[in-house]
Amino acid sequence: MKILFISLIIFISALPHLSAQENQHIAVVITPDTLITTIPFNITLLIDYPEPEEVTVTAPAISAPLSVDRIVTHPWTTGDRIQTIVEYRLISTGAGHITLDSFVVNTPENTMRTGQISLYFRSITGEQRIISPPVSWEGIRSGVMVQMTAGERRIFTIRANGWNAPHPPSAFFMPAVPQGVILSAQPVSAEEREGGVLAKLMLIPLAAGDYSIPARVLFHENFRFDIPSLRIRAASR
């Protein structure tokens, strides 16, 4: 996983109440390490701001051979700290070097800019094959609706069954947060990772109702992760 810690440019003229000492940082995460044509990859911005709904990102011009597959914004909790993740999933149909201009991030506190991002794509060869380990929500049968109570806190685990090969960090598997729930990533120990745990998510439904995390297909290098949907019915307290 490539992580670039890029100093931000604070536009003092636009925000006169800011000083140079208030500069922060954005982490730009590119996954997977090896970019291959026709296989989706992610550019993830980890922003030091706790309210995702108040964060606006302006992406650089993206044109062929690149295309945007989806954009996901959600909070990321580490300890007592809450940050915002904005994830761009893209696909390239062409090999070689591609350079993207800066992403511009706006929050109520400041305006921030990343540097240019350089990408290199390899063409897939006949010797490479896609590996798809069986993935499930631990302890939950496919298609079964999980029963909860509004306000209840529960941890759900995404596991690759019978598979302990190296895999991307837990943040890679974080889904979009459904409206009406609190969803945050939980730490995964080295022992759990070796046992096939891909991610642990704490979910709290805020009110009675039905909630769903849709099925997803994620690619990392030559691995394909088919993550089934998670359906929850929350009853009143």
Side-chain angles (χ1 to χ4, degrees):
M1 179 176 61
K2 302 173 183 175
I3 303 179
L4 309 175
F5 287 94
I6 303 176
S7 296
L8 305 178
I9 299 174
I10 305 296
F11 293 96
I12 304 300
S13 59
L15 297 166
H17 62 282
L18 295 177
S19 67
Q21 285 72 33
E22 292 174 311
N23 287 6
Q24 301 175 9
H25 293 82
I26 296 176
V28 179
V29 183
I30 302 171
T31 53
D33 289 338
T34 302
L35 304 181
I36 299 174
T37 58
T38 73
I39 294 182
F41 71 100
N42 293 313
I43 296 177
T44 303
L45 308 181
L46 180 59
I47 302 161
D48 194 14
Y49 191 81
E51 302 291 342
E53 64 275 9
E54 297 180 0
V55 175
T56 302
V57 177
T58 302
I62 296 175
S63 57
L66 278 182
S67 61
V68 178
D69 182 49
R70 72 173 186 183
I71 303 171
V72 177
T73 300
H74 58 82
W76 178 253
T77 304
T78 52
D80 296 330
R81 187 180 184 186
I82 301 176
Q83 297 172 295
T84 294
I85 282 182
V86 180
E87 176 187 275
Y88 287 78
R89 177 166 143 170
L90 304 99
I91 299 173
S92 176
T93 57
H97 286 282
I98 295 177
T99 299
L100 292 178
D101 288 332
S102 301
F103 287 79
V104 179
V105 178
N106 288 283
T107 73
E109 295 180 352
N110 53 35
T111 298
M112 304 168 282
R113 181 189 294 269
T114 71
Q116 288 187 330
I117 297 175
S118 180
L119 307 169
Y120 178 74
F121 296 89
R122 293 168 43 196
S123 295
I124 194 165
T125 67
E127 298 178 356
Q128 292 173 312
R129 64 187 183 93
I130 301 298
I131 299 171
S132 184
V135 177
S136 67
W137 293 93
E138 188 173 63
I140 301 172
R141 288 186 323 198
S142 178
V144 173
M145 183 170 283
V146 178
Q147 303 296 321
M148 295 183 66
T149 302
E152 178 184 353
R153 181 186 307 247
R154 187 179 298 185
I155 293 179
F156 294 92
T157 300
I158 304 174
R159 179 183 292 276
N161 301 292
W163 187 76
N164 61 357
H167 51 77
S170 297
F172 177 79
F173 299 96
M174 182 74 180
V177 181
Q179 190 171 15
V181 307
I182 295 174
L183 188 69
S184 62
Q186 300 298 294
V188 177
S189 68
E191 183 178 0
E192 288 174 321
R193 285 179 62 85
E194 291 176 1
V197 173
L198 303 178
K200 294 166 63 178
L201 307 175
M202 184 187 72
L203 186 146
I204 305 172
L206 300 177
D210 291 346
Y211 304 94
S212 176
I213 296 177
R216 295 174 294 146
V217 178
L218 302 178
F219 289 87
H220 174 74
E221 297 181 349
N222 62 322
F223 294 103
R224 170 182 169 135
F225 299 94
D226 290 274
I227 302 175
S229 63
L230 178 66
R231 299 167 59 225
I232 294 169
R233 173 161 294 167
S236 300
R237 299 190 197 186

